[in-house]
Amino acid sequence: MKKIEYIYEDEDIIVCHKPAGIATEGAGPGKMDLVSQVRNYLTRKSRQEGKKGPAYVGTVYRLDQPVEGVIVMGKNKKATSNLAEQIKRHTTDKYYYALCFGNVEPIKAHVENYLGRREDSGLAAIFSDDEKDTLNESTITSRDGEKIRLINGDVKIAALDYEVVSTGKETSLLRIKLLTGRFHQIRVQMAGLGYPIIGDTKYGTEESLRYSEEKGIKTVCLACYKFGFKHPTTGKRVFFEIKPEFIDHEN
């Protein structure tokens, strides 16, 4: 089991570095997810202090299982509610690094798409304005006439800003500011631009997957490396940052 690093902790919040390969929560029978490990950690500490019962752990956002990064959780209901409200109001700052296949152009851009989640595959998909307008009873008609049923029955706008940090012969390292938090958003949007994330078996191309295999990369090269928000008690703006495992990848 990969080790979780606890970056910061006080009476209200706990900040973790989630390794790639561990589910945030809901890992299923016999498997340990991040929330369960954090709860066990906090419960052991509470018992040492003479407290009884399981510790409270409140989640306000998830990271995909193959994605590493900073996750902040509440240690009480008040703090969790405050953090959740900040995320809902888009007043938090979430930054990612992504290692993409190809030399990304332009080197800096704002990306906006309509995203929906396909019922048949469970994957996110990009839809055009015209396709979005065909939405009827949870079904969209694609440009080629295919009827696509959607999980949750809706499409939502997805936005991010990116800039290229460095380029190699076949890859580009991007710094991304996530402006909305949609299912598999960065992964599907970068793939939609023609630059899939290295190691992404769900949205990758034959070329990007071949490169990943040749380099022995077995996880998605995407990480939430920095997260900023107002502390739920002090109101002070705080940032927590990690260095992703893949950042030293030889381009």
Side-chain angles (χ1 to χ4, degrees):
M1 185 185 299
K2 291 187 177 180
K3 187 179 179 182
I4 295 168
E5 180 186 353
Y6 296 102
I7 302 170
Y8 175 82
E9 182 184 351
D10 61 25
E11 292 297 313
D12 299 295
I13 63 172
I14 184 165
V15 185
C16 309
H17 177 179
K18 183 187 92 66
I22 295 179
T24 304
E25 58 185 331
K31 295 182 180 180
M32 187 64 76
D33 53 42
L34 178 72
V35 172
S36 299
Q37 291 190 58
V38 173
R39 184 178 290 112
N40 289 346
Y41 164 76
L42 292 176
T43 298
R44 284 195 300 270
K45 286 187 65 177
S46 294
R47 286 175 180 168
Q48 289 172 0
E49 297 168 1
K51 298 175 184 177
K52 295 182 179 180
Y56 177 92
V57 178
T59 55
V60 291
Y61 65 91
R62 298 185 183 190
L63 294 178
D64 297 340
Q65 183 166 334
V67 175
E68 71 170 308
V70 176
I71 287 192
V72 181
M73 288 178 272
K75 290 176 64 177
N76 53 63
K77 290 182 180 180
K78 185 177 179 181
T80 302
S81 177
N82 182 286
L83 291 168
E85 186 64 22
Q86 290 185 57
I87 290 172
K88 183 180 178 181
R89 292 175 180 268
H90 303 290
T91 58
T92 59
D93 294 303
K94 192 182 286 188
Y95 296 89
Y96 285 76
Y97 279 125
L99 185 65
C100 296
F101 185 71
N103 291 148
V104 176
E105 294 182 349
I107 61 171
K108 192 174 184 179
H110 175 78
V111 183
E112 220 169 90
N113 300 108
Y114 286 105
L115 298 189
R117 190 176 175 190
R118 298 180 62 117
E119 192 176 86
D120 54 1
S121 65
L123 299 181
I126 295 172
F127 296 102
S128 67
D129 285 5
D130 291 342
E131 289 172 325
K132 174 186 73 73
D133 291 339
T134 69
L135 181 63
N136 183 38
E137 295 183 350
S138 302
T139 301
I140 272 184
T141 304
S142 70
R143 285 174 176 168
D144 60 9
E146 181 187 4
K147 300 291 185 181
I148 302 170
R149 284 194 59 80
L150 301 176
I151 295 174
N152 300 324
D154 198 8
V155 295
K156 293 183 178 180
I157 198 74
L160 60 80
D161 292 325
Y162 78 76
E163 61 176 328
V164 176
V165 177
S166 63
T167 56
K169 187 177 179 181
E170 298 181 86
T171 60
S172 301
L173 180 65
L174 273 59
R175 182 186 294 117
I176 296 168
K177 182 174 184 181
L178 192 64
L179 303 177
T180 57
R182 309 303 181 203
F183 178 78
H184 287 178
Q185 178 182 333
I186 298 174
R187 297 164 67 179
V188 71
Q189 284 188 296
M190 293 315 302
L193 292 175
Y195 305 107
I197 295 173
I198 299 297
D200 194 342
T201 58
K202 294 184 183 295
Y203 300 98
T205 60
E206 286 186 17
E207 292 81 4
S208 69
L209 293 176
R210 187 182 305 117
Y211 177 88
S212 302
E213 187 175 352
E214 288 172 356
K215 297 294 183 180
I217 298 169
K218 297 180 180 179
T219 191
V220 179
C221 291
L222 176 67
C224 176
Y225 78 92
K226 184 163 72 170
F227 187 71
F229 58 98
K230 281 188 177 181
H231 191 283
T233 301
T234 67
K236 181 182 177 182
R237 192 134 198 105
V238 291
F239 285 87
F240 295 96
E241 188 169 350
I242 57 103
K243 184 178 181 181
E245 292 180 9
F246 65 82
I247 211 74
D248 293 324
H249 172 81
E250 293 291 335
N251 281 347

